[in-house]
């Protein structure tokens, strides 16, 4: 069984991430969405909230998709899950340098673990989680960017923080 890890902060998960996930599901038998707990970012949603939100969104895919939180090095987490690949989305040239550096560093740390880049649909190339958070925190409509359950949680968070 070919297992891939799709890691990220997912603060929150967007339609762009889901697009990448669906493409990864075409290639791998199982995709584990790995939510980084030790992200250098200061997430709006807690670790548990991010995992829960993703669960709600991906449960329709059944057993081929799992959601988990992880600490520490990604390559070690991937080895613990017997994954053969890391999946990352590549949206625009601006993503390349950072992704290139991460992929080569991870390869140095774990030779056999492949990093696979997948391009989301071009309609998502401009999308990222920061923009979605910003729009939501200012009371804007994010329904074109995130699934309804995520939009609801963003609205609730905006109310709590206002
Ligand atoms: N659609 C929409 N947005 C997307 C996207 C897509 N397909 N792909 C990426 N993004 C956005 C994210 O929303 C995020 O936006 P933001 O910065 O505005 O929040 C941004 O691109 C990048 O985030 P993400 O893909 O979640 O990755 P990340 O950079 O937050 O995560 C880790 C990086 C967690 C994978 C990396 O830090 C890691 O592996 N950490 C573990 C420790 C480790 O092993 N370090 C050594 C690594 S070499």
């Amino acid at each position: 069984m070919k297992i891939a890890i799709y890691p990220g902060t997912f603060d929150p998960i967007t339609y762009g991430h889901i697009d990448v996930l669906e493409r990864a599901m075409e290639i791998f038998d199982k995709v584990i969405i790995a939510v980084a707990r030790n992200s250098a970012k200061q997430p709006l949603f807690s670790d548990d909230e991010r995992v829960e939100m993703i669960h709600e969104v991906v449960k329709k895919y059944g057993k081929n998709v799992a959601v988990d939180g992880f600490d520490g090095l990604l390559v070690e987490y991937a080895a613990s899950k017997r994954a053969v690949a890391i999946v990352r989305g590549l949206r625009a040239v601006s993503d390349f340098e950072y992704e290139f550096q991460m992929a080569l560093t991870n390869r140095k740390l774990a030779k056999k673990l492949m990093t696979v880049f997948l391009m989301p649909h071009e309609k998502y190339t401009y999308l990222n989680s920061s923009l979605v958070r910003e729009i939501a925190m200012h009371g804007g409509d994010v329904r074109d960017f995130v699934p309804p359950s995520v939009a609801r949680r963003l609205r609730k968070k905006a109310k709590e923080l206002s």
Side-chain angles (χ1 to χ4, degrees):
M1 173 145 102
K2 288 212 184 306
I3 299 174
I5 306 289
Y6 181 21
T9 308
F10 302 107
D11 187 38
I13 189 165
T14 68
Y15 281 136
H17 293 123
I18 294 164
D19 183 288
V20 170
L21 170 70
E22 287 180 346
R23 289 172 202 277
M25 285 166 58
E26 299 278 330
I27 307 174
F28 299 100
D29 302 312
K30 181 171 182 179
V31 181
I32 302 175
I33 304 181
V35 180
R37 292 208 192 97
N38 60 345
S39 169
K41 298 173 178 174
Q42 298 251 305
L44 175 67
F45 291 99
S46 71
D47 304 339
D48 290 346
E49 282 174 322
R50 282 177 285 140
V51 169
E52 249 175 60
M53 276 159 105
I54 300 172
H55 257 302
E56 286 165 8
V57 171
V58 303
K59 61 180 179 222
K60 64 179 179 192
Y61 300 119
K63 282 192 297 202
N64 296 352
V65 178
V67 190
D68 195 11
F70 82 101
D71 293 300
L73 279 183
L74 178 60
V75 292
E76 283 175 8
Y77 175 75
S80 76
K81 296 291 172 189
R82 299 180 188 278
V84 295
I86 292 171
V87 168
R88 294 287 291 172
L90 208 51
R91 290 160 299 169
V93 179
S94 51
D95 283 343
F96 182 77
E97 223 164 308
Y98 172 60
E99 295 297 337
F100 186 69
Q101 188 183 26
M102 269 209 303
L104 290 185
T105 308
N106 283 332
R107 191 156 76 189
K108 198 86 191 155
L109 297 172
K111 259 195 206 79
K112 285 192 174 163
L113 184 67
M114 298 287 167
T115 298
V116 174
F117 293 107
L118 295 173
M119 274 182 287
H121 192 281
E122 58 271 20
K123 68 185 174 199
Y124 300 126
T125 46
Y126 64 94
L127 191 55
N128 69 23
S129 299
S130 307
L131 276 180
V132 170
R133 289 195 302 273
E134 195 175 327
I135 296 167
M137 291 309 112
H138 288 97
D141 186 353
V142 291
R143 282 176 301 178
D144 282 347
F145 312 132
V146 296
S149 58
V150 175
R152 269 197 302 277
R153 282 186 185 248
L154 279 162
R155 277 198 299 276
K156 190 163 166 248
K157 193 64 103 178
K159 265 194 202 141
E160 281 167 16
L161 296 177
S162 68

